[in-house]
Amino acid sequence: VMGLVSSTLGLASSVISKYLIDIITGYQYSRLWILIVAMVGSTAFSLVTSSIVGRISLKISIYVNNDIQKDIFNKIIDADWQQVSAYQNGDLLNRFNSDVNTISSNAVSWVPNVIVNLYSFVATFLVILHYDVTMALFAFISAPVLLLVSRRVMRKLRAYQKRVLEMNSGMMSFETETFYNFDSIKSFGVTGYYADELKDWQKKYKDYNLDYNLYSIKMNIGMTGLSTGVGLAAFGYCLFRMWTGDISYGTMTLFLS
């Protein structure tokens, strides 16, 4: 609910700024103070709301994280020894900490974010539709295109993320077992072997993360380019509409924001 309120206030600020610009360009200074007070008030309230949402989300995330960790810990403790021994210690630690934290964060944020984003999409569409039908349709058509492209990109990005996480589990397992068996390694004089194995893990770490980073850069360039193209097309349409006198400068600013 607080997310929906914050989203509504953000949209209201955009609409207020449209009238603010129209008043300034139209030299109607008598109504200026009302909009300034409204804009400052909505911005301040939105800031307070988003801060409270962040605080509450963190508290719930910690509760969920602790509950899941406790549940998994009890399952590991009660599990059959042969089943547990199939997993390396480092892999268990990585999943127990990193994976549980990811799941708890998404459990708290994913559903509310879907609701808030859908609401923002519909509300913004209706606001644009109120001022210009063609612009609203243009914005609506661009959304599925961006969504389909991002879905294909994110599928490949997840594959890269999975590879990096699995490598991190393997590296943590190696480190955990090395330090746990430190006395035996020193006694048998095989420190050189473990040093060479660490170099191999570090090479994997470097290669996997650089591949992941390169793909992320390409993805960002592609998505930014696509979004910029949509934005420039909208800007060109707004300029045409303003040149023909169908919309004001404030309305153009509202569309672009």
Side-chain angles (χ1 to χ4, degrees):
V1 171
M2 295 187 76
L4 294 176
V5 171
S6 181
S7 179
T8 302
L9 289 171
L11 192 57
S13 295
S14 297
V15 175
I16 291 170
S17 66
K18 167 241 186 302
Y19 287 105
L20 198 61
I21 291 169
D22 285 343
I23 285 172
I24 293 170
T25 54
Y27 303 102
Q28 300 172 4
Y29 298 123
S30 60
R31 297 192 305 170
L32 187 61
W33 69 272
I34 301 173
L35 289 175
I36 291 175
V37 170
M39 192 168 189
V40 171
S42 65
T43 303
F45 191 75
S46 179
L47 181 63
V48 171
T49 305
S50 61
S51 300
I52 294 172
V53 167
R55 177 72 176 176
I56 293 172
S57 296
L58 177 62
K59 289 176 75 173
I60 297 172
S61 180
I62 291 171
Y63 290 141
V64 173
N65 183 79
N66 289 345
D67 282 345
I68 296 174
Q69 274 195 334
K70 182 178 68 175
D71 185 45
I72 290 178
F73 184 80
N74 290 334
K75 279 188 166 72
I76 292 172
I77 293 296
D78 294 335
D80 180 70
W81 172 245
Q82 288 184 332
Q83 290 179 328
V84 175
S85 61
Y87 298 92
Q88 294 176 315
N89 290 334
D91 189 41
L92 284 174
L93 281 172
N94 194 36
R95 296 179 185 280
F96 183 72
N97 292 301
S98 177
D99 288 6
V100 169
N101 183 56
T102 301
I103 290 166
S104 62
S105 298
N106 284 316
V108 174
S109 63
W110 190 80
V111 173
N113 283 341
V114 168
I115 294 170
V116 171
N117 287 329
L118 282 173
Y119 168 78
S120 299
F121 180 81
V122 173
T124 306
F125 175 75
L126 292 175
V127 168
I128 299 174
L129 187 66
H130 174 72
Y131 291 102
D132 192 295
V133 176
T134 306
M135 184 68 190
L137 292 174
F138 177 79
F140 187 80
I141 291 169
S142 68
V145 176
L146 290 168
L147 182 65
L148 288 172
V149 172
S150 64
R151 278 194 67 184
R152 291 191 64 183
V153 168
M154 290 304 295
R155 195 177 293 119
K156 194 169 183 180
L157 186 67
R158 278 198 296 271
Y160 275 99
Q161 287 174 331
K162 184 183 178 186
R163 194 170 73 140
V164 169
L165 287 170
E166 287 173 347
M167 185 275 305
N168 286 338
S169 285
M171 191 169 185
M172 187 177 285
S173 296
F174 167 74
E175 292 167 350
T176 304
E177 289 168 11
T178 299
F179 291 127
Y180 181 74
N181 299 303
F182 189 68
D183 291 339
S184 300
I185 292 168
K186 292 280 285 182
S187 300
F188 285 102
V190 289
T191 53
Y193 167 78
Y194 279 86
D196 291 337
E197 193 166 347
L198 176 64
K199 287 180 182 178
D200 292 337
W201 278 112
Q202 287 177 328
K203 186 178 183 304
K204 280 185 183 179
Y205 180 85
K206 181 194 73 172
D207 293 341
Y208 284 16
N209 278 282
L210 285 177
D211 288 345
Y212 178 38
N213 175 256
L214 182 61
Y215 182 75
S216 298
I217 291 171
K218 290 178 180 178
M219 180 194 71
N220 287 331
I221 291 172
M223 294 301 293
T224 302
L226 194 58
S227 299
T228 303
V230 173
L232 288 173
F235 181 63
Y237 174 76
C238 286
L239 285 177
F240 171 74
R241 295 282 286 171
M242 195 170 69
W243 178 62
T244 56
D246 295 317
I247 62 172
S248 64
Y249 184 73
T251 305
M252 186 186 81
T253 306
L254 172 65
F255 286 162
L256 296 178
S257 65

